[in-house]
Amino acid sequence: MNPLVVVEQLLLLMLVMLIGYSVARMKLLDDHAEMNFATLINYVTVPALILSATDGGAVAGSKWDSLIVLFVASSSYVFFTLLAFFIPKLFKVKPDEIGVLQFVTVFANNGFMGLPVVLALFGTSGLFYASIFNIPNNILVYSLGVYFISRGKKKQTIDLRKLLLNPAIISAFLALLLFLFDIQLPSLLSKTLVSLGNITSPLAMFIIGMSMVRINIGDAFKDMRLLGFAVFRMLIIPAAMWFVLRPIITNPLILGVLITIAGMPGPAMAVTLATLYDGNTGMATRYVFISTIISVLTIPLLSLLFG
């Protein structure tokens, strides 16, 4: 993968984020716009994006490959969870910052940014594998993720029914079933899903841009611990994973998708859950902002490994 192509795609996303930031600063939209857009993405565009990748996945690899991706994805979350218990000591954070740091150690922006970036870099074939990678992510973020964010705060309760009915989880399982049983969607439905899915990329970055008005940008970049952690989480760890997985995973597309997803910046969900469960919202917001900005450098550097 040509790093310049990667940079160009990321800069396009960053420009949309800048427009979102400008719109929020000028108060062109009401206070509910950000939540409404997020709901639209969660319930409509991301499920459509995942399902639209089914045909591409069928062409790109075997059914065995999809099961390998699911196994590697699940294994990687075990690794990141174990790592999360050592990270706070390594970066010497305050007690009220431990939960957020553990959360962003395990979880990244696999959905709102990960899927659009994978689509831009690897096409719909890569997008299918990325959607499979997100199955354990979507399950764990509302269970393990809530535990981390709310450490020592509100008593966390997990609604299993709501978890299993999450649109992203349902669409990922449906895409997997369509792929495994070679079910082809009607042409009109397939084109509709593609059109809806294509909205995800600009709208997701627009929302992230809108959320940036709530933080002090200058102060965010003064936090050297978060900067150091961002480089460690988004560059060093994915590079180490590449060296470990390269002899094992022979399909370069799958390996590229896995490493790209592992190198994504912090998820906007960190801010949402910190707000809901009385976590450190300020730290969560700063990390999401910092990591999103420096991903313009770290993701192209990662692409050199599988270019």
Side-chain angles (χ1 to χ4, degrees), residues 158-166:
I158 299 172
D159 188 337
L160 185 60
R161 181 175 177 272
K162 184 177 181 180
L163 170 64
L164 295 177
L165 293 179
N166 181 281

Side-chain angles (χ1 to χ4, degrees), residues 38 41-42 46 109-116 200-201 204-205 207-208 268:
I41 287 179
N42 186 56
V46 164
N109 198 342
N110 298 357
F112 286 0
M113 191 169 183
L115 293 179
T200 305
S201 176
M205 298 310 297
I207 293 173
I208 293 175

Side-chain angles (χ1 to χ4, degrees), residues 29-256:
L29 299 173
D30 62 37
D31 296 336
H32 302 290
E34 188 177 336
M35 181 62 69
N36 291 338
F37 289 154
T39 301
L40 179 63
I41 287 179
N42 186 56
Y43 283 92
V44 180
T45 71
V46 164
L49 184 63
I50 293 172
L51 288 172
S52 68
T54 305
D55 292 336
V59 174
S62 67
K63 295 176 176 62
W64 178 248
D65 285 337
S66 64
L67 295 178
I68 290 176
V69 172
L70 186 57
F71 174 77
V72 174
S74 301
S75 300
S76 70
Y77 280 105
V78 173
F79 164 73
F80 281 122
T81 300
L82 293 175
L83 184 64
F85 288 98
F86 296 96
I87 285 295
K89 295 181 180 179
L90 181 62
F91 287 90
K92 299 179 180 179
V93 295
K94 300 175 183 177
D96 66 333
E97 298 174 333
I98 292 177
V100 169
L101 194 66
Q102 289 181 320
F103 182 92
V104 296
T105 298
V106 178
F107 302 102
N109 198 342
N110 298 357
F112 286 0
M113 191 169 183
L115 293 179
V117 169
V118 167
L119 178 64
L121 300 183
F122 302 102
T124 55
S125 301
L127 180 63
F128 174 73
Y129 292 128
S131 68
I132 295 175
F133 193 99
N134 279 346
I135 292 176
N137 176 87
N138 293 330
I139 293 174
L140 291 173
V141 74
Y142 292 104
S143 50
L144 180 66
V146 171
Y147 166 75
F148 281 142
I149 286 289
S150 60
R151 287 188 50 166
K153 301 292 182 179
K154 292 180 180 179
K155 182 180 179 181
Q156 57 267 45
T157 57
I158 299 172
D159 188 337
L160 185 60
R161 181 175 177 272
K162 184 177 181 180
L163 170 64
L164 295 177
L165 293 179
N166 181 281
I169 294 178
I170 294 174
S171 57
F173 276 117
L174 283 176
L176 185 59
L177 290 175
L178 291 173
F179 173 68
L180 292 176
F181 292 98
D182 295 319
I183 301 174
Q184 298 295 318
L185 297 174
S187 177
L188 181 59
L189 177 58
S190 180
K191 290 178 181 178
T192 301
L193 291 173
V194 170
S195 297
L196 288 172
N198 287 340
I199 302 173
T200 305
S201 176
L203 189 56
M205 298 310 297
F206 191 88
I207 293 173
I208 293 175
M210 292 180 67
S211 70
M212 296 309 170
V213 300
R214 296 193 293 270
I215 67 171
N216 186 309
I217 296 177
D219 289 344
F221 279 104
K222 293 178 183 179
D223 194 333
M224 300 307 297
R225 292 173 306 161
L226 280 188
L227 284 171
F229 172 76
V231 173
F232 176 79
R233 175 62 178 83
M234 298 165 58
L235 188 61
I236 297 176
I237 292 298
M241 290 177 62
W242 181 80
F243 281 106
V244 172
L245 295 175
R246 182 176 58 163
I248 303 172
I249 301 178
T250 57
N251 187 322
L253 174 62
I254 293 178
L255 183 60

Side-chain angles (χ1 to χ4, degrees), residues 4-25:
L4 293 179
V5 174
V6 181
V7 171
E8 182 181 15
Q9 294 295 335
L10 289 170
L11 287 177
L12 287 174
L13 294 175
M14 293 300 160
L15 285 174
V16 176
M17 185 178 72
L18 180 60
I19 293 172
Y21 175 83
S22 301
V23 167
R25 289 283 294 180

